[in-house]
Amino acid sequence: MKGQKNIIVVLGLIIVINVLAYWFPVRKDLTADARYTLSETTESIVESVDKPLWVKVYLKGDFPLDFKRLGQAVKAHLEELRAVNKRIKFAFVNPSGMEEELIKQGMEPSQLTVEQDGEVSQKLIFPYALVKMGAKTQVVNLLTPSGDTQDDQLQRAIENIEFAFSDAISRLLQDKKQSLAVLRSHGTLEDIYLYDFLSGLKSKYNLAPFTLRPESLNQQQVLDDLKKYNGLIIAKPTTTFSEDDKYILDQYIMQGGKALWMLDYTTASMDSLQRDGSSLIIPRDLNLTDLLFSYGVRVNHNLVEDLYSSKIALATGNVGGKTQFSNLLWYYFPVILNQNNNPISKNLQPIRLKFTSTIDTLLSPDIVKTPLLQTSKLTRVKGTPLVIDLSEISQKVQPEHFRSGTQLAGVLLEGQFPSAYAYRTKPFETQHLNKSDAHKMIVIADGDIAANQIQGGQPTPLDIDKWTGQTFGNKEFLLNAVNYLMGDSDLLNIRRKTLDLTMLNKETLARQKTLWQWVNVGLPLLILGLFGLVYTLIRRKKYR
């Protein structure tokens, strides 16, 4: 009787605990890297969802074990989001039979190399999620293609899950888009070369071309028109800025306008090199030195060679009447490995620069300078003018010549910017400001960082070299840069999250597969048999 009462009490406690857990759920992240803990920014975004939000994840099906981990990580994250806001619903969908429909929605499949039992095969997957709220939708790319190993790719994908979903949901919640002006005067890059970069911005911002030299307007009207935009993109100007132009830009910045400067301070170009085999490189005078100097930086009229560089395709022979091409390292195209924890550049593929110059930072106590793009230590800096010849590519590398150290090629500036015209004659009359409130700008010493290539008259993806097939992180870096300038710093800080994932050793797994199959099947049976044996012996001893 007493035993029955104890059983009833235990069952009653279990029922009470389950009821309390249902009505008052408590979630505790016990992982060392806090992988299941949402940031305050994510919680704030998710709490703002005031209508049903549906997420379809196309990671259901027959995937290798490593990529099943990606699906499990996505599911765990979505469960955390649902715990914050019950309006969030999700489902995992097998994309089989839906390929054409998904491609029309912008979901390009990824080709996955599968290694199993020593055999290698290829498999197409759709590593995407579709987030929908009302009539609005956002596509979430869960796996950015890269030249890394699949383990590195998976690590970066899992670390990026929180940012990817938070960014998509914040876009769905956005009522009014901020506006961006794209400079169209001063010989800047044409739209076709900025197509991929600007396409990535248009879902979040209103974009418009802008010229500093309209024939029908005076300088004050140009400044007033520019002030209507939250930010300004200046991509590879090639002609000189007048004092009127600079004063308009200066007062725009003083009044809170953000600027992304992508500048070439030399005339170096692959077009002339590929046409003539050699090229005379001279300084390019944009007349911006004094303006940038007042903001705390100086872009130099030089070129950087880096042993950590990307390849270019060059004709190296002719066989059977067909030109043979080889992919060869070109030291004037540095590859930037992002090893800092800055949210703009963290978790990105390497970034390719072309004929970059160096940047010096100057003493300016009110401005914080954060390096974004830095070369390796194995560099050589060359002054201009100089002659560059494609034959340099075949010359033997002499490491002792590459000892210039790490060079700065991109920098984030944050703080109160002093006007370059504070103590100078003003080019025209306007309501002058000597100092800005606290805000930001980014200066990059490479005008081609945002330039995609052209093939058959059509723009190609910015992140893929059409000749060599190399992949880079230029587009995502620039999108992050613009988002940070426009006030998404809290959202981008989610990218700082680093997870300690332990990947399986595939060689060891293949070698010990049979052993562990026997262990997994035989060990439970052995334990069960031992338990039965011990239980039988105890009963015999008890009733003997």
Side-chain angles (χ1 to χ4, degrees):
M1 192 71 177
K2 185 177 179 181
Q4 290 179 348
K5 287 182 179 180
N6 289 337
I7 292 173
I8 293 172
V9 170
V10 170
L11 290 175
L13 286 173
I14 292 173
I15 292 171
V16 170
I17 291 171
N18 277 276
V19 170
L20 291 174
Y22 178 82
W23 289 106
F24 305 100
V26 176
R27 305 174 73 88
K28 183 68 176 176
D29 186 355
L30 300 177
T31 57
D33 51 17
R35 69 182 61 181
Y36 303 115
T37 301
L38 300 179
S39 66
E40 292 182 6
T41 302
T42 295
E43 289 188 351
S44 176
I45 291 171
V46 172
E47 287 170 355
S48 300
V49 175
D50 57 0
K51 60 182 69 172
L53 185 146
W54 292 90
V55 182
K56 286 184 180 179
V57 184
Y58 298 99
L59 285 177
K60 186 177 181 180
D62 183 22
F63 295 121
L65 181 60
D66 283 348
F67 283 87
K68 285 182 179 178
R69 294 184 65 182
L70 176 60
Q72 292 165 356
V74 170
K75 183 180 179 182
H77 180 70
L78 292 175
E79 287 174 344
E80 293 297 325
L81 299 186
R82 187 172 59 187
V84 174
N85 192 329
K86 298 297 182 183
R87 293 185 180 91
I88 295 177
K89 311 291 183 183
F90 65 89
F92 279 70
V93 179
N94 191 328
S96 179
M98 306 169 58
E99 291 84 357
E100 289 187 12
E101 178 187 342
L102 297 180
I103 290 173
K104 287 180 182 178
Q105 296 181 60
M107 305 183 204
E108 293 293 333
S110 295
Q111 186 164 284
L112 188 65
T113 301
V114 180
E115 298 179 25
Q116 190 170 6
D117 297 332
E119 296 182 0
V120 178
S121 60
Q122 301 294 324
K123 183 178 180 64
L124 285 181
I125 64 170
F126 285 83
Y128 295 93
L130 185 67
V131 186
K132 183 176 182 180
M133 188 173 69
K136 296 180 179 180
T137 61
Q138 282 288 327
V139 173
V140 179
N141 188 351
L142 298 170
L143 186 68
T144 304
S146 73
D148 297 338
T149 65
Q150 284 188 178
D151 285 350
D152 291 337
Q153 205 173 349
L154 182 64
Q155 168 92 20
R156 190 164 58 244
I158 293 177
E159 288 181 338
N160 199 51
I161 288 172
E162 182 177 356
F163 170 76
F165 279 103
S166 297
D167 183 50
I169 296 172
S170 69
R171 294 188 186 209
L172 293 176
L173 294 171
Q174 191 177 29
D175 293 325
K176 184 179 178 181
K177 294 181 179 181
Q178 296 189 78
S179 58
L180 285 172
V182 183
L183 190 64
R184 279 289 166 267
S185 55
H186 298 81
T188 53
L189 287 173
E190 298 176 24
D191 281 347
I192 193 170
Y193 292 101
L194 291 173
Y195 179 83
D196 198 29
F197 170 43
L198 297 183
S199 295
L201 291 174
K202 69 180 182 181
S203 65
K204 194 168 185 177
Y205 304 101
N206 291 319
L207 304 177
F210 191 87
T211 177
L212 286 176
R213 295 178 177 174
E215 296 179 0
S216 59
L217 299 178
N218 60 34
Q219 296 94 328
Q220 181 61 56
Q221 186 61 56
V222 175
L223 175 58
D224 290 341
D225 288 346
L226 184 56
K227 284 158 52 179
K228 296 175 184 177
Y229 297 94
N230 304 103
L232 175 64
I233 296 172
I234 304 171
K236 197 180 179 180
T238 54
T239 61
T240 303
F241 286 77
S242 69
E243 290 302 315
D244 284 352
D245 299 333
K246 292 195 300 183
Y247 190 46
I248 291 171
L249 293 175
D250 178 80
Q251 288 303 294
Y252 170 70
I253 290 168
M254 292 308 104
Q255 297 181 51
K258 283 79 173 177
L260 172 60
W261 306 81
M262 295 174 280
L263 307 173
D264 270 359
Y265 262 47
T266 73
T267 60
S269 166
M270 281 303 297
D271 292 339
S272 58
L273 274 171
Q274 290 175 329
R275 182 180 62 248
D276 304 323
S278 64
S279 179
L280 173 62
I281 311 302
I282 61 175
R284 172 173 281 141
D285 182 18
L286 298 176
N287 194 29
L288 291 173
T289 300
D290 56 341
L291 192 67
L292 296 177
F293 193 95
S294 68
Y295 306 149
V297 295
R298 176 176 58 219
V299 181
N300 299 303
H301 296 282
N302 56 22
L303 286 176
V304 178
E305 285 187 286
D306 193 336
L307 292 185
Y308 283 88
S309 56
S310 63
K311 296 179 179 181
I312 60 173
L314 289 181
T316 54
N318 190 297
V319 177
K322 292 185 178 181
T323 303
Q324 301 297 303
F325 290 88
S326 298
N327 298 330
L328 305 170
L329 287 174
W330 183 235
Y331 299 134
Y332 293 100
F333 283 10
V335 170
I336 308 300
L337 304 176
N338 299 294
Q339 297 176 340
N340 58 44
N341 199 33
N342 185 281
I344 295 175
S345 53
K346 180 175 168 54
N347 282 344
L348 297 184
Q349 300 174 60
I351 295 161
R352 178 172 65 176
L353 303 180
K354 298 179 179 179
F355 298 116
T356 187
S357 300
T358 64
I359 296 176
D360 294 333
T361 56
L362 311 169
L363 182 62
S364 42
D366 293 333
I367 301 173
V368 177
K369 306 168 189 72
T370 304
L372 295 180
L373 300 172
Q374 291 177 289
T375 67
S376 76
K377 295 179 180 180
L378 303 175
T379 63
R380 174 165 60 180
V381 179
K382 292 183 174 181
T384 56
L386 82 157
V387 174
I388 293 179
D389 197 298
L390 282 177
S391 64
E392 296 178 31
I393 211 165
S394 61
Q395 296 174 2
K396 185 178 180 180
V397 176
Q398 297 180 324
E400 62 272 15
H401 291 168
F402 289 80
R403 292 183 175 176
S404 296
T406 301
Q407 303 298 322
L408 181 64
V411 61
L412 165 68
L413 307 174
E414 298 177 280
Q416 294 179 289
F417 298 102
S419 170
Y421 292 86
Y423 306 105
R424 294 165 55 183
T425 302
K426 314 302 185 284
F428 60 87
E429 290 295 324
T430 188
Q431 187 176 353
H432 176 82
L433 292 179
N434 274 336
K435 203 167 192 176
S436 74
D437 291 331
H439 69 103
K440 316 156 192 169
M441 72 170 69
I442 290 174
V443 180
I444 299 171
D446 176 19
D448 287 314
I449 187 173
N452 53 249
Q453 296 167 311
I454 308 298
Q455 189 168 29
Q458 298 297 317
T460 62
L462 173 58
D463 287 341
I464 303 175
D465 187 293
K466 69 174 183 178
W467 301 112
T468 65
Q470 298 170 100
T471 57
F472 304 99
N474 292 41
K475 181 178 179 179
E476 194 171 358
F477 168 80
L478 291 169
L479 295 181
N480 289 345
V482 172
N483 290 338
Y484 190 90
L485 290 177
M486 304 300 280
D488 272 355
S489 55
D490 289 340
L491 183 60
L492 283 171
N493 274 321
I494 299 173
R495 299 176 62 89
R496 292 179 181 270
K497 194 170 193 175
T498 301
L499 304 180
D500 184 17
L501 301 178
T502 303
M503 300 297 179
L504 295 174
N505 186 310
K506 293 182 175 59
E507 292 183 2
T508 303
L509 187 63
R511 188 172 62 253
Q512 299 181 358
K513 178 181 178 180
T514 304
L515 170 64
W516 289 107
Q517 284 178 335
W518 278 107
V519 170
N520 288 329
V521 173
L523 187 59
L525 294 176
L526 179 62
I527 293 173
L528 187 61
L530 288 173
F531 174 79
L533 178 62
V534 171
Y535 180 76
T536 302
L537 291 175
I538 291 173
R539 284 183 60 84
R540 284 183 179 178
K541 184 176 180 181
K542 182 176 180 180
Y543 296 106
R544 181 175 296 173

